[in-house]
Amino acid sequence: MNTKQITELSLCQLSGHLQSGEITAVQAAKAYLDVIREREPSIKAYLSVLEGEAMQKAAQIDDRRSRGEKLSPLAGIPAGIKDNICTRGFTTTCASRMLENFVPPYDAHVIEKLDEAGAVMLGKLNMDEFAMGSSTENSYFQVTHNPRDLSCVPGGSSGGSAAAVAANEAVFALGSDTGGSIRQPAAFCGVVGMKPTYGTVSRYGLVAFASSLDQIGPLTRDVTDSAMVMDCIAGHDSRDTTSIDMEKLDYSAELGKDIRGMKIALPKEFFGEGLSDDVRKGIETAVARFKELGAEIVEVSMPTLSHALSAYYIISSAEASSNLARFDGIRYGYRAQDYDDITSLYKNSRSEGFGQEVKRRIMLGTFALSSGYYDAYYKKALQVRTLIVNDYNRIFEQCDCILSPVAPTTAYKIGEKTSNPLEMYLGDIYTVPVNIAGVPALSMPCATASNGLPVGMQLIGRPFSEPVLYRIGRAYETTCETTSR
Amino acid sequence: MSAFTSEYEMVIGLEVHVELKTRTKIFCSCPTDFGAEPNTHVCPVCMGLPGSLPVLNRKVVEYAIKAGMATNCTIARYSKQDRKNYFYPDLPKAYQISQYDLPLCEHGYLDIETSTGSKRIGITRIHIEEDAGKLVHDKSGTFIDCNRCGVPLIEIVSEPDIRSAEEAVAYLQKLRATILYTGISDCRMQEGSLRCDVNLSVHKPGQPFGTRTEMKNLNSFQYVQKAIEFEYRRQVEAIENGEEIVQETRRFDEKSGKTSSMRRKEDANDYRYFPDPDLAPIEMSEQQLEQLQASIPVLPDQRKSKYIEQFGLTAYDAEMLTATPETADYFESVCAATEYPKQAANLMLTEVFRLMSAESEDTVRIPVAPAHLAALVNMTIDGKINSSTEKKVLGELWKNGDQSPEEYIRAHDLFQLSDPVLLEQLVDQAIAQNPKSIADFKKGKTNALKSLVGQIMGKTSGRANPVIVQQLIDEKVAKL
């Protein structure tokens, strides 16, 4: 197989070829590095490419396989990692000037898991600085282009991860999702993104943005691949107190089952003002296909939706203001050249080291937690959080999942929304309630818009119902394969 | 103290930080040992590296609850941890994980003894938190040692019930005693494992409380006392001079014994407390609390009442003896070997405590076996030695190696001389050699014969029985 053929294989397919010996891990790694070399000048998904390490790791895997060792399905699979996930010995920048030269002395839990499984890390992927943003334009280093239309943004904050998968520059990538950062770029780039139930994947080694909302998840070519990555990275980790101690789920267990009789909720509030025709039509297509598959569509109401965005921006910014306080120029990270005393060292280092959006959120969060404002903002936001959880619980009493748009529009032009942060925030309306409630959501392509860009849909489930979401998503995928592929 | 100060009453509340004796830190498995090479007991978690997460050490919760139980607190079934946000180079995360509105323990008290009697001091709360690192300044710059980052602390906040430096010190001693008994901390003030912040205001009785100032990180009982005395006078003088007291943090200078302004209230941090999203709430079951309650040893107050009832000691003396479990254990061992507990208590409170305090405020080390101390008490009461020999021998055994006091006394020929024949000779000699003293006495100078006793004691190297000597002198002189 040639480079193009190899890199067009899904994780599942490539894994089969590696196991059968048809393709070696070295061949696979080389093919991906070739594509990266060829496409990066126009895509700019990677902040660093670890060519030597990748080839070395691939050779080790081939060696182990040749000795008859039984290896994980991910062994020899080339992958990209969002640059806010700590990798021992390799810079982890969070796409910030602040951490331009930061080399963590330890691996994140998910990196340990991938490493044990034998996955081959190709490099670290671009993102909005500290995962704050929805277009990857907030990166200190570079703007990533959407492989489906190079003049468009890939979405964010895991824009590098989505673009790399969409451009065949990685078989899969890890991203992180605090308010939609896996799902929205997946939708913009036409790939599959999973935001797992809060507590499913250890956050140990994920540079925190908003601790109570952050989750790591996979971006993949298709639903089956997503389940395979989850089978590797999910599970309890004693180093993360918020990691749930329960028996590990089999994420692939329900793939291939039909969805006849399943109830899919459609909240009417999701189809109000602000939703573009492209996305509305995409969701209508999805509704029609789900009906064909034998599912029942139930119209429901989610009255708290209108408060979700405000609650999200208060909670996430408040936590971020505290989480990002450690970047003070004292022990590691960027330190200003000019300072007279400790206060100006702090001020200048943080003013110069952080970008606009990060500073905006730190100020917003600091204000929301300030003495005298705590009750009006942070405490109120926590109350809204409870109401949103109640809304979901009520819907899940009668339905198996919720069908929702991921973003109000398809991918927009680079530079189109950078001047208006509020407009950018409004784009997160469909994704943030999921993080606030901690429930899982699968983002996947559901149609193609008139402009040729992918339209994404989101399947939201009850806590720990990822296998069900994969079952529904996979069933949907089969209908697309017969019509489009 | 000038005369007007007596019109003012001082109102004191204490915040005491106690370092817990857990083997590992509060949120990671680094050791807590004191005195290691800088930055050797550190890891990504206690260094606050990005991506690291805290995992609460359950022992810290248990130890804090034990402190709460020993100080009569109500223990929370549901508690949480909060972030206290502020920038300082010794604080790697730029927030300290502490507890804000739901502490582990609340509404406790301790009873103290002072020269004016017993008093109950309320305890507002006890919460857990992590210690910060240490800044080391030298000519080439400032360095940060993170070994102490994440060492577990409890903060014990008292009610503003304290009204004098003496009460403050008595409270601290009682608190220290109680914590030492539970075994959760060494309470070594010199090493900083017990530190005290003093909040003090003054007012005229009947009037509302005045504005308070805070003095931070006092690390000896003596400094606490001096800082209180100085600050009280400073505030009273300021008010008398028509000045207003400003709410501020003041630094106590150990050399001058004075306090000086460090930080005004308006410069104080807004700590922006909020629940730490990385840590789950702390929930305690009834069963867990029962187990902890069962592990609380006999506390100072229980021993104290036993000493008062069984041994007839005063409350004050009993309080002193129970100040550390070591001194109380020692005293009880002594009492097992003597029938004279009051005399044993006196010897301990005077000589033993004096010898101990000459060594260290923080550690209790009594090198003389309890049976030996009891033997000294018994021999003194039985008249085999006199009380000055008792003290002398105790000092010798303490400094030059413990051994049987009988053997030491025999070897050094220190038994008391009570033989009337021998003593009579000495008295006769003394009378013959001091005609002037005798004459003075006859003229009515009642003290004139004192020097005769002294001379005889000197001649016998302190061994003569002073009671018999005095009797003999009285008899002989009366016959002259």
Side-chain angles (χ1 to χ4, degrees):
Chain A
M1 261 189 256
N2 63 27
T3 291
K4 190 165 183 301
Q5 288 166 325
I6 292 174
T7 56
E8 272 177 359
L9 298 170
S10 71
L11 194 169
C12 185
Q13 291 164 335
L14 178 60
S15 182
H17 288 302
L18 287 167
Q19 283 169 52
S20 70
E22 231 168 306
I23 300 173
T24 64
V26 166
Q27 281 172 329
K30 206 167 163 305
Y32 273 92
L33 290 165
D34 284 347
V35 173
I36 290 170
R37 217 169 290 124
E38 181 198 322
R39 301 207 64 183
E40 263 306 275
S42 55
I43 307 287
K44 293 188 164 69
Y46 281 90
L47 290 176
S48 55
V49 178
L50 306 168
E51 190 170 341
E53 289 78 8
M55 290 308 294
Q56 206 183 346
K57 175 87 184 189
Q60 276 173 18
I61 294 299
D62 285 338
D63 186 42
R64 285 169 61 187
R65 208 187 298 276
S66 69
R67 280 189 272 115
E69 227 179 286
K70 177 120 178 64
L71 299 173
S72 141
L74 294 195
I77 303 290
I81 306 295
K82 189 177 182 180
D83 210 19
N84 60 350
I85 297 173
C86 286
T87 44
R88 181 164 60 184
F90 305 113
T91 49
T92 300
T93 66
C94 294
S96 178
R97 185 185 196 187
M98 186 58 90
L99 292 179
E100 189 169 2
N101 300 309
F102 178 67
V103 179
Y106 60 97
D107 274 329
H109 178 79
V110 289
I111 299 299
E112 290 175 354
K113 291 296 229 183
L114 289 183
D115 196 46
E116 279 166 30
V120 174
M121 182 164 68
L122 294 167
K124 303 298 289 289
L125 293 160
N126 197 23
M127 54 187 281
D128 283 299
E129 184 180 8
F130 285 104
M132 296 174 187
S134 311
S135 67
T136 313
E137 290 165 295
N138 293 334
S139 167
Y140 171 68
F141 302 105
Q142 63 199 36
V143 171
T144 297
H145 297 252
N146 190 323
R148 309 289 180 203
D149 177 345
L150 294 176
S151 67
C152 288
V153 299
S157 67
S158 309
S161 302
V165 173
N168 293 353
E169 292 184 321
V171 182
F172 75 92
L174 291 187
S176 68
D177 190 317
T178 305
S181 282
I182 288 174
R183 292 161 288 155
Q184 183 257 25
F188 278 18
C189 293
V191 299
V192 172
M194 168 58 90
K195 198 296 280 187
T197 308
Y198 186 78
T200 298
V201 180
S202 169
R203 293 186 295 116
Y204 190 83
L206 169 67
V207 179
F209 160 13
S211 314
S212 73
L213 304 166
D214 297 342
Q215 267 298 284
I216 293 171
L219 291 106
T220 54
R221 310 274 171 86
D222 61 32
V223 172
T224 308
D225 288 4
S226 187
M228 286 175 75
V229 178
M230 280 298 286
D231 279 327
C232 174
I233 62 171
H236 180 248
D237 174 17
S238 59
R239 293 169 300 184
D240 175 2
T241 304
T242 62
S243 148
I244 311 272
D245 194 1
M246 59 180 262
E247 206 176 316
K248 198 171 163 178
L249 297 173
D250 181 350
Y251 291 94
S252 308
E254 302 205 25
L255 289 176
K257 293 185 184 167
D258 71 58
I259 61 165
R260 225 174 297 277
M262 286 184 121
K263 287 182 176 168
I264 298 175
L266 204 57
K268 58 174 190 260
E269 288 82 359
F270 287 9
F271 298 90
E273 220 180 308
L275 187 67
S276 69
D277 283 345
D278 280 338
V279 177
R280 184 190 307 274
K281 280 182 193 151
I283 298 296
E284 281 165 2
T285 307
V287 167
R289 285 193 186 153
F290 277 127
K291 283 180 179 165
E292 281 169 31
L293 287 165
E296 189 187 332
I297 303 293
V298 184
E299 190 175 288
V300 296
S301 175
M302 216 182 140
T304 54
L305 185 73
S306 55
H307 303 299
L309 209 55
S310 338
Y312 169 79
Y313 274 93
I314 287 170
I315 294 170
S316 65
S317 304
E319 293 182 11
S321 73
S322 174
N323 284 330
L324 271 62
R326 70 189 66 196
F327 306 114
D328 57 7
I330 300 283
R331 293 160 303 276
Y332 54 84
Y334 180 80
R335 183 187 289 187
Q337 297 272 303
D338 298 319
Y339 54 87
D340 308 318
D341 55 11
I342 186 71
T343 309
S344 63
L345 189 160
Y346 287 146
K347 279 185 182 163
N348 298 348
S349 299
R350 288 169 66 79
S351 297
E352 295 163 23
F354 288 137
Q356 280 303 313
E357 184 59 29
V358 172
K359 283 189 266 193
R360 191 171 6 251
R361 302 218 195 176
I362 290 173
M363 285 188 278
L364 180 63
T366 303
F367 178 77
L369 289 176
S370 296
S371 164
Y373 297 99
Y374 180 90
D375 285 0
Y377 294 108
Y378 191 76
K379 205 171 162 191
K380 203 81 176 174
L382 292 184
Q383 287 164 347
V384 170
R385 187 173 206 164
T386 309
L387 295 177
I388 291 171
V389 170
N390 292 344
D391 262 2
Y392 277 118
N393 287 342
R394 194 172 37 73
I395 295 170
F396 289 133
E397 269 171 27
Q398 45 160 339
C399 296
D400 297 290
C401 82
I402 297 169
L403 171 61
S404 144
V406 181
T409 65
T410 54
Y412 40 83
K413 298 287 177 193
I414 289 169
E416 190 181 327
K417 294 193 179 182
T418 44
S419 57
N420 189 342
L422 197 60
E423 201 188 323
M424 192 90 85
Y425 293 177
L426 289 172
D428 299 338
I429 181 69
Y430 304 112
T431 47
V432 295
V434 167
N435 299 78
I436 288 180
V439 293
L442 180 66
S443 165
M444 60 184 288
C446 68
T448 304
S450 53
N451 56 12
L453 286 169
V455 177
M457 68 170 170
Q458 191 177 198
L459 299 170
I460 305 165
R462 4 178 124 79
F464 311 109
S465 70
E466 286 88 343
V468 178
L469 298 182
Y470 282 141
R471 173 180 173 178
I472 301 168
R474 177 66 197 133
Y476 189 86
E477 231 172 33
T478 54
T479 70
C480 300
E481 278 157 11
T482 54
T483 54
S484 72
R485 271 210 191 171
Chain B
M1 213 177 280
S2 44
F4 60 73
T5 56
S6 57
E7 292 172 44
Y8 289 87
E9 178 180 65
M10 59 176 115
V11 176
I12 296 169
L14 299 179
E15 286 168 25
V16 178
H17 287 93
V18 172
E19 194 180 300
L20 301 177
K21 213 164 56 174
T22 52
R23 205 174 50 77
T24 56
K25 292 185 178 181
I26 183 166
F27 298 121
C28 62
S29 52
C30 290
T32 54
D33 309 339
F34 180 82
E37 280 292 299
N39 298 310
T40 54
H41 291 173
V42 293
C43 73
V45 175
C46 56
M47 293 282 274
L49 290 189
S52 67
L53 293 169
V55 176
L56 179 61
N57 181 347
R58 287 299 295 191
K59 272 270 177 282
V60 171
V61 176
E62 289 176 20
Y63 280 20
I65 289 176
K66 280 186 176 190
M69 286 173 167
T71 53
N72 311 294
C73 285
T74 308
I75 311 300
R77 268 60 175 171
Y78 180 93
S79 171
K80 69 179 172 67
Q81 295 172 91
D82 302 276
R83 292 185 185 177
K84 179 180 180 179
N85 296 282
Y86 65 96
F87 287 97
Y88 203 67
D90 68 3
L91 193 68
K93 298 190 294 297
Y95 59 81
Q96 178 194 33
I97 303 176
S98 179
Q99 295 193 281
Y100 183 55
D101 54 343
L102 294 174
L104 271 177
C105 317
E106 281 185 288
H107 312 305
Y109 64 84
L110 281 177
D111 291 327
I112 60 165
E113 295 292 339
T114 64
S115 51
T116 52
S118 304
K119 182 168 175 178
R120 179 160 290 184
I121 307 295
I123 287 174
T124 315
R125 57 184 279 163
I126 301 178
H127 69 249
I128 54 172
E129 61 186 29
E130 58 180 334
D131 205 347
K134 197 169 84 178
L135 296 185
V136 184
H137 307 274
D138 80 6
K139 280 174 202 143
S140 58
T142 299
F143 299 86
I144 308 170
D145 178 3
C146 289
N147 281 350
R148 226 172 57 189
C149 292
V151 165
L153 302 176
I154 50 174
E155 180 175 330
I156 303 152
V157 183
S158 87
E159 289 288 306
D161 290 345
I162 296 164
R163 293 290 176 272
S164 68
E166 189 197 359
E167 284 181 11
V169 172
Y171 166 78
L172 286 173
Q173 274 166 342
K174 188 56 172 280
L175 183 62
R176 181 168 176 264
T178 307
I179 287 170
L180 284 174
Y181 276 57
T182 59
I184 62 166
S185 172
D186 293 327
C187 294
R188 292 197 177 126
M189 296 191 84
Q190 282 160 3
E191 288 181 10
S193 66
L194 191 153
R195 309 192 283 270
C196 181
D197 302 343
V198 176
N199 284 289
L200 187 148
S201 67
V202 301
H203 72 140
K204 289 184 178 172
Q207 292 184 354
F209 286 179
T211 304
R212 69 191 153 88
T213 61
E214 184 180 24
M215 290 163 282
K216 279 197 163 306
N217 280 333
L218 299 164
N219 66 351
S220 88
F221 292 155
Q222 201 198 349
Y223 295 152
V224 169
Q225 181 167 349
K226 285 191 171 161
I228 288 172
E229 283 164 1
F230 178 87
E231 183 61 12
Y232 171 68
R233 271 200 299 276
R234 188 193 70 84
Q235 289 192 18
V236 169
E237 280 166 18
I239 291 168
E240 287 293 306
N241 292 334
E243 295 162 26
E244 212 168 306
I245 303 296
V246 284
Q247 193 176 332
E248 61 183 357
T249 304
R250 298 181 66 84
R251 180 186 291 116
F252 174 71
D253 181 64
E254 295 163 7
K255 283 186 194 125
S256 67
K258 291 177 180 174
T259 68
S260 57
S261 184
M262 203 168 121
R263 193 171 56 225
R264 292 278 171 102
K265 191 200 174 192
E266 52 268 31
D267 305 324
N269 282 305
D270 176 355
Y271 291 123
R272 291 173 282 119
Y273 281 101
F274 76 105
D276 193 324
D278 288 331
L279 291 159
I282 304 167
E283 291 178 75
M284 296 303 296
S285 70
E286 294 306 317
Q287 197 197 352
Q288 287 169 312
L289 292 181
E290 278 165 25
Q291 278 171 3
L292 285 172
Q293 186 69 58
S295 74
I296 304 286
V298 178
L299 293 170
D301 275 347
Q302 292 161 269
R303 286 183 158 193
K304 181 178 152 190
S305 36
K306 178 176 143 192
Y307 296 177
I308 296 169
E309 283 157 28
Q310 278 187 20
F311 302 141
L313 303 191
T314 66
Y316 187 81
D317 287 353
E319 180 97 348
M320 293 296 112
L321 284 171
T322 52
T324 66
E326 289 91 345
T327 49
D329 288 347
Y330 187 88
F331 174 64
E332 288 177 26
S333 303
V334 172
C335 289
T338 176
E339 281 166 28
Y340 310 108
K342 270 186 101 158
Q343 286 79 355
N346 283 339
L347 187 60
M348 278 194 68
L349 291 167
T350 52
E351 287 307 294
V352 172
F353 276 40
R354 188 180 60 77
L355 290 161
M356 248 166 39
S357 67
E359 288 177 4
S360 159
E361 200 176 42
D362 283 339
T363 47
V364 177
R365 196 187 67 91
I366 306 177
V368 177
H372 293 166
L373 192 98
L376 281 171
V377 170
N378 291 341
M379 285 190 282
T380 310
I381 302 257
D382 296 345
K384 288 181 184 157
I385 55 172
N386 62 33
S387 59
S388 64
T389 306
E390 181 186 47
K391 285 177 195 158
K392 192 172 140 191
V393 174
L394 177 60
E396 287 298 321
L397 299 190
W398 193 291
K399 286 185 196 107
N400 301 326
D402 192 21
Q403 57 171 292
S404 155
E406 287 96 337
E407 278 170 27
Y408 182 91
I409 288 160
R410 192 171 297 120
H412 293 81
D413 204 14
L414 294 173
F415 282 116
Q416 184 159 255
L417 297 175
S418 301
D419 175 5
V421 182
L422 180 74
L423 292 179
E424 209 176 331
Q425 283 174 6
L426 291 168
V427 167
D428 288 342
Q429 268 177 24
I431 288 171
Q433 284 162 3
N434 292 282
K436 187 168 183 299
S437 299
I438 307 299
D440 287 348
F441 179 76
K442 292 283 180 192
K443 280 180 204 153
K445 271 196 178 175
T446 44
N447 278 334
L449 298 177
K450 279 265 163 8
S451 68
L452 272 64
V453 182
Q455 283 171 27
I456 293 164
M457 294 308 285
K459 272 186 185 159
T460 58
S461 314
R463 293 164 57 211
N465 185 329
V467 181
I468 300 177
V469 169
Q470 188 67 56
Q471 267 175 10
L472 285 170
I473 291 171
D474 289 347
E475 283 167 22
K476 298 252 175 189
V477 173
K479 286 179 195 157
L480 286 175

